Amino acid sequence: MKNIFTFAFIMFAGFVHAQNTAVDSLIKVLEKQKEDTDKVNTLNELSNRLTFGDSSDYVKAQAYLQQSFALAENLHFKNGIAQATKLSGMMLYYWKADYAGAAEKLLTAIKIFEETGYKEKLADCYAFLGDTYSFYNIPESLKSLYKALNIYETLGLKKKAAQILSAIAMTYADRENFTEAIKYCNREIEVYKEIDSKSGLALSYTDLGDIYFNQANYDEALKMHQQALAMIRETGDSATNVNIFMAYLGIGNAYEQLGEVSLAAGNKKTADEQFAEALKNYFVIQKVFTNIKQPTNQWWIAHTSIPVAEIYTQSKQYQLARKYLQTGLQLSLGFKEYPMLRDAYKNLAGIDSAEGNFQKAFEDYKLYIAYRDSVNNDATDKKFQYEKMQYEFDKKQDSVKAVIEKREAMTAAELKNQKLIRNVSIAGATAFVGLSSFSFYRYRRRKKLQSEKEMLNERLRISRELHDDIGSTLGSISIYSEVAKNRSEKNENANEAIVKIGNASRELIEKMSDIVWSINPNNEGFGQLQNRVDAFAAMLLTPGNIHYNIITDEDVKHIQFSAEEIKNIYLIFKETLHNIVKHAACKKVMIRFSKHKDVFDMVIADDGKGFKSTTQNDGTLGGNGLKNMQKRAEQMNAVLKIVSSPEDGTKIQLSLEI
């Protein structure tokens, strides 16, 4: 398990601790200040420290931020408004994990800082926006980070530039582009050497350790993290410096994975020693943060509890493992850490299975599959959601801008009637806000009712599928189990029944995986469908030496399907490939996804022996598999055509109006 700490926390939290002015001192300064721009800056700084500092307090931070907004707007202090807007975005990010909401606030702050020309604050916004995007939109994340880097380098702010280089390096590492990751990491090291920053170099070695870890080079990863820890200690930094705990976490992760490698090689003694070293480093972090109930500290507890549980599971200390898993699960849900939730439920499934609680193991395994698929597909879906939300936001901003420009034009033309125009504008704005609020309320109400109806329909659909598909398979497993038991008691050969149990179990897992995948809201883009199609085609056709070619038109990649459509398209695809393998005796298969005007087409053609097609005559389909395909097409108002003739192959075309 590898967890890379976010750039945002390092940049905006780690260095807050090093500053000298305490919250109490700022409050005293605030009491003596007049209602001017200096007070706005003090209020913003208080909010910043109460968000990221040692004395973090969301309620107080928000209260100071509201005061800052009110005073800045009264003074028409744009930089103060922009800074407060940025801080409100940081709060959404840090306290509520609302990354899309945080991005919206940061984009607003960026527009203001661009107008005022406050370059450093503009770069800070781009830096934080880059980290915010990293949770769901990697291309936009890199764009924002590059903008921040360019500004910092132009201003000669080398320390901040190095921090951005670190963020870019780790973004590439997360995408497994290790060549670019190492390139930017080396640039980061050069900058820290230039400014003679040992703490910065320690952070660079931590970055290199993370990159080596992602490459599964655990020995080098361990060396880098140990070097980082030694360098931090040389600097004499505080024992609670965030970089120290990043090094401890990296060392623990490396030892844990080395233990896994040793165990797989059959060297249990070495594995036990490496697991013990991993626990030692994890417990250093646990000891410091267990009793401090702050979001940053709880993050550390979450990111060490699950690996500790994994090690205890290896040694069959299941009670201890459960204890740490429960802690890790609870905190991971709060942070929306899906990779950790995935690992935790996989571990729980293993423990339940080892203890003979197969029903619970199956439930945990389903959750593991759901979070695994969520981790794989979350970025694409969130990107679509953000682009939709950003479009609505921009449209709203353009509307407001148009109203303002119209009002200014009227003011210039009728200067003598300024008072009257102002009153009319205020009344119009009030009516506009009132109407917008009422419309927004009705829209939300309508969407809520629609969502509840869709949820009910979805629950009914899932219930039917679980009853029909899963229930029948479980029933067959139960019957085969009785047969195997009876034959075993009579000293007869039970292998046939056992094989059938195994086949039915694998079929059950496949069906459950399909159901979980189809109901996952992150899987409504064509990209997720294509990933699953590619994997299934490779798995089914390659072993039979069937050459296949998948062609996807560019326009198709931007289509968003409903959950019902994505499920039926995929299951029709699966059924078609199963029929090809079982009956076609073909050598080649062509699969094409295309879009013509408002129609999505999926065409699957083989060069096999074909059959006498009835679709050309009466539009009906023979065979249960073909009938099921027709039924699924009808469920989404699509048209399914099958054209085949003996010795001339088969072509299946699904057409869906979108």
Side-chain angles (χ1 to χ4, degrees), residues 273-290:
E273 291 172 353
Q274 289 165 332
F275 285 140
E277 286 296 322
L279 287 174
K280 186 189 301 182
N281 284 275
Y282 291 144
F283 285 146
V284 169
I285 298 172
Q286 290 260 334
K287 184 177 179 181
V288 171
F289 292 120
T290 296

Side-chain angles (χ1 to χ4, degrees), residues 11 21 30 58 530 542 553 561 578 644:
M11 182 170 183
T21 308
L30 186 68
Y58 175 72
Q530 185 169 30
T542 303
D553 290 359
F561 297 98
H578 275 301
S644 182

Side-chain angles (χ1 to χ4, degrees), residues 335-353:
F335 285 108
K336 297 182 180 179
E337 289 277 6
Y338 294 155
M340 291 171 57
L341 290 166
R342 172 201 61 197
D343 296 338
Y345 279 115
K346 183 180 180 181
N347 201 356
L348 274 175
I351 293 173
D352 289 327
S353 179

Side-chain angles (χ1 to χ4, degrees), residues 105-326:
K105 295 289 186 183
L106 290 165
L107 287 165
T108 302
I110 283 170
K111 288 180 181 179
I112 300 173
F113 281 132
E114 285 176 339
E115 291 176 5
T116 61
Y118 200 158
K119 296 295 185 183
E120 183 176 355
K121 291 296 183 183
L122 175 62
D124 289 347
C125 280
Y126 275 125
F128 203 94
L129 182 62
D131 188 64
T132 305
Y133 274 137
S134 70
F135 288 90
Y136 63 98
N137 192 338
I138 293 297
E140 287 301 322
S141 172
L142 286 170
K143 285 181 185 178
S144 298
L145 291 173
Y146 282 129
K147 288 178 181 179
L149 178 63
N150 182 55
I151 296 172
Y152 286 143
E153 288 181 336
T154 301
L155 296 176
L157 299 172
K158 294 183 178 180
K159 190 172 185 179
K160 286 190 174 183
Q163 292 162 5
I164 299 295
L165 289 167
S166 169
I168 294 173
M170 300 321 295
T171 301
Y172 278 120
D174 285 343
R175 299 181 71 190
E176 299 185 357
N177 186 342
F178 300 118
T179 301
E180 288 297 306
I182 291 172
K183 181 179 81 173
Y184 280 95
C185 200
N186 286 332
R187 284 183 60 184
E188 173 191 355
I189 290 172
E190 290 172 6
V191 175
Y192 280 128
K193 284 181 178 178
E194 187 180 342
I195 62 177
D196 193 24
S197 172
K198 286 188 176 180
S199 60
L201 281 171
L203 182 59
S204 301
Y205 288 127
T206 299
D207 288 346
L208 275 176
D210 290 338
I211 294 169
Y212 283 129
F213 188 98
N214 288 343
Q215 290 179 304
N217 188 346
Y218 305 123
D219 287 312
E220 284 300 314
L222 179 61
K223 289 178 185 177
M224 291 298 103
H225 287 300
Q226 288 174 331
Q227 191 169 347
L229 182 61
M231 186 164 285
I232 295 166
R233 285 173 173 164
E234 283 181 19
T235 65
D237 284 350
S238 165
T240 58
N241 185 294
V242 66
N243 292 345
I244 290 178
F245 297 110
M246 290 175 66
Y248 277 125
L249 183 61
I251 293 169
N253 289 157
Y255 269 125
E256 182 186 357
Q257 291 304 315
L258 286 169
E260 295 282 358
V261 173
S262 298
L263 198 63
N267 194 341
K268 188 174 184 305
K269 182 180 178 182
T270 302
D272 288 341
E273 291 172 353
Q274 289 165 332
F275 285 140
E277 286 296 322
L279 287 174
K280 186 189 301 182
N281 284 275
Y282 291 144
F283 285 146
V284 169
I285 298 172
Q286 290 260 334
K287 184 177 179 181
V288 171
F289 292 120
T290 296
N291 298 318
I292 309 175
K293 307 298 183 184
Q294 293 179 2
T296 51
N297 302 328
Q298 296 296 287
W299 188 96
W300 290 106
I301 298 297
H303 279 69
T304 49
S305 292
I306 292 175
V308 166
E310 290 175 342
I311 293 173
Y312 280 134
T313 301
Q314 288 284 3
S315 60
K316 298 183 180 180
Q317 299 181 65
Y318 298 137
Q319 188 173 355
L320 277 171
R322 282 188 187 279
K323 171 188 170 185
Y324 283 97
L325 277 174
Q326 292 301 329

Side-chain angles (χ1 to χ4, degrees), residues 319-453:
Q319 188 173 355
L320 277 171
R322 282 188 187 279
K323 171 188 170 185
Y324 283 97
L325 277 174
Q326 292 301 329
T327 300
L329 277 171
Q330 182 181 359
L331 295 174
S332 298
L333 283 167
F335 285 108
K336 297 182 180 179
E337 289 277 6
Y338 294 155
M340 291 171 57
L341 290 166
R342 172 201 61 197
D343 296 338
Y345 279 115
K346 183 180 180 181
N347 201 356
L348 274 175
I351 293 173
D352 289 327
S353 179
E355 292 181 339
N357 190 348
F358 299 115
Q359 181 61 38
K360 183 65 167 60
F362 184 56
E363 295 298 324
D364 290 332
Y365 185 78
K366 287 191 292 183
L367 288 167
Y368 156 68
I369 292 295
Y371 282 113
R372 182 198 65 184
D373 289 347
S374 179
V375 168
N376 293 337
N377 302 316
D378 191 49
T380 301
D381 183 68
K382 286 187 176 179
K383 178 181 177 181
F384 169 74
Q385 292 178 17
Y386 172 73
E387 287 173 348
K388 181 180 178 182
M389 184 168 53
Q390 182 61 35
Y391 170 76
E392 295 296 334
F393 176 76
D394 288 342
K395 187 166 67 172
K396 179 181 175 183
Q397 291 295 97
D398 290 342
S399 174
V400 173
K401 183 179 179 181
V403 171
I404 293 172
E405 289 175 350
K406 182 177 179 180
R407 186 179 62 190
E408 289 177 347
M410 290 173 63
T411 303
E414 301 179 25
L415 188 60
K416 294 181 180 180
N417 299 322
Q418 186 174 8
K419 184 175 181 181
L420 177 60
I421 293 173
R422 183 190 62 201
N423 292 338
V424 170
S425 299
I426 292 172
T430 303
F432 174 76
V433 171
L435 181 59
S436 298
S437 300
F438 179 68
S439 299
F440 182 65
Y441 167 77
R442 290 190 62 186
Y443 170 77
R444 288 190 61 185
R445 176 68 176 168
R446 187 170 64 252
K447 292 297 288 183
K448 181 180 179 182
L449 292 173
Q450 180 184 344
S451 177
E452 289 172 352
K453 183 179 179 181

